[in-house]
Amino acid sequence: MDLLESYRSLLKKHGKQGWWPLLETGYHPNNYAIPRTDAERFVICIGAILTQNTAWKNVEKALANLQKIKALNAKAVLLLDDATLKNAIKPAGYFNQKAKKLREFAKFYLGLEDKIPSRSEFLSIWGIGRETADSILLYAYKQPIFVVDAYTRRLFSLDADYDEIRLLFEAALPRDYRIYQEFHALIVEEGKRSRAKTK
DNA sequence: AGCCAGGCTACCG
DNA sequence: CGGTAGCATGGC
């Protein structure tokens, strides 16, 4: 299986996806400067948590609610009372769990200096699993780590352990975070469309 | 009217 | 270890 060839063909089919989408600017194809600020970085991180097993459309509603109450930063999240936080993120589902996950992450985030946390540091946070950790590393920190999700397994008929699949992609592709970002986004786009067609 | 979304944790055998 | 119930809302 030539993964680089799959990447090229998906790119031709769907065009650049421009992940990660932000509230103000939406998608930003051909712009790899994002995140430019610490604020954008944090929004990417909590978006990655909120989108766990959840359609992005619903995550956008939750993010917009948080923005409305000026809680798109770590300090503000920690200062919100429980009911307000849960109510804001309710559209993204699992609001009891995700409220706790956001607080756990915000606590961690506030403790950071300028350094980039390691994968295992992210994984040690309650509520951050492998895909979420890798999404944060790839899209918020621009680290060349491939993100594996349900669509990746489905599209390529892979039934191996998460990290095995991740390493398979990383070995087959140039070590370039921009390619990893686009490829994962393209896989999701392809997965969404092929599902819409077959139903 | 179901089925399922850009998963994770806890618990089971 | 691998497998899976539970978590929750909204879109199609």
Side-chain angles (χ1 to χ4, degrees):
Chain A
M1 162 172 40
D2 186 344
L3 291 175
L4 192 53
E5 192 47 47
S6 305
Y7 167 66
R8 291 203 190 95
S9 118
L10 284 175
L11 186 56
K12 181 179 281 185
K13 184 171 174 187
H14 301 303
K16 288 218 172 146
Q17 300 301 299
W19 278 27
W20 192 272
L22 295 173
L23 281 183
E24 297 76 15
T25 54
Y27 296 88
H28 44 87
N30 298 313
N31 180 359
Y32 297 98
I34 288 177
R36 294 188 182 83
T37 64
D38 180 70
E40 286 176 342
R41 192 188 311 283
F42 183 76
V43 174
I44 293 172
C45 293
I46 62 174
I49 292 170
L50 290 171
T51 198
Q52 290 171 1
N53 201 38
T54 299
W56 182 253
K57 199 84 185 164
N58 293 340
V59 176
E60 284 181 334
K61 296 178 202 284
L63 290 173
N65 289 341
L66 289 172
Q67 184 176 49
K68 212 175 306 172
I69 58 176
K70 301 190 188 313
L72 283 181
N73 64 82
K75 282 183 190 168
V77 166
L78 290 172
L79 287 173
L80 291 176
D81 66 86
D82 211 46
T84 306
L85 177 56
K86 286 176 179 173
N87 193 51
I89 65 172
K90 186 172 285 188
Y94 307 114
F95 53 84
N96 289 306
Q97 297 198 351
K98 283 178 179 173
K100 182 179 173 192
K101 291 178 183 183
L102 291 188
R103 287 194 201 282
E104 292 294 319
F105 185 79
K107 249 185 285 174
F108 169 84
Y109 196 80
L110 278 182
L112 293 176
E113 312 287 328
D114 278 338
K115 73 176 169 63
I116 298 175
S118 69
R119 188 169 192 259
S120 57
E121 282 181 279
F122 281 118
L123 289 175
S124 71
I125 305 166
W126 187 89
I128 306 287
R130 291 184 285 190
E131 184 184 337
T132 307
D134 292 343
S135 296
I136 289 172
L137 283 163
L138 179 58
Y139 292 101
Y141 289 92
K142 305 180 186 182
Q143 300 303 295
I145 299 182
F146 200 82
V147 177
V148 177
D149 70 343
Y151 288 129
T152 313
R153 294 170 180 276
R154 227 171 293 166
L155 196 55
F156 296 94
S157 305
L158 295 166
D159 187 33
D161 174 73
Y162 179 97
D163 285 306
E164 270 184 59
I165 299 175
R166 175 173 65 82
L167 294 171
L168 176 71
F169 277 79
E170 290 178 5
L173 300 169
R175 195 179 170 73
D176 183 338
Y177 78 89
R178 295 169 300 181
I179 293 177
Y180 291 9
Q181 287 184 345
E182 287 296 339
F183 198 5
H184 172 66
L186 285 163
I187 290 169
V188 173
E189 180 62 20
E190 175 67 17
K192 282 181 184 168
R193 292 204 198 184
S194 65
R195 224 178 63 74
K197 248 183 287 185
T198 59
K199 108 176 153 158

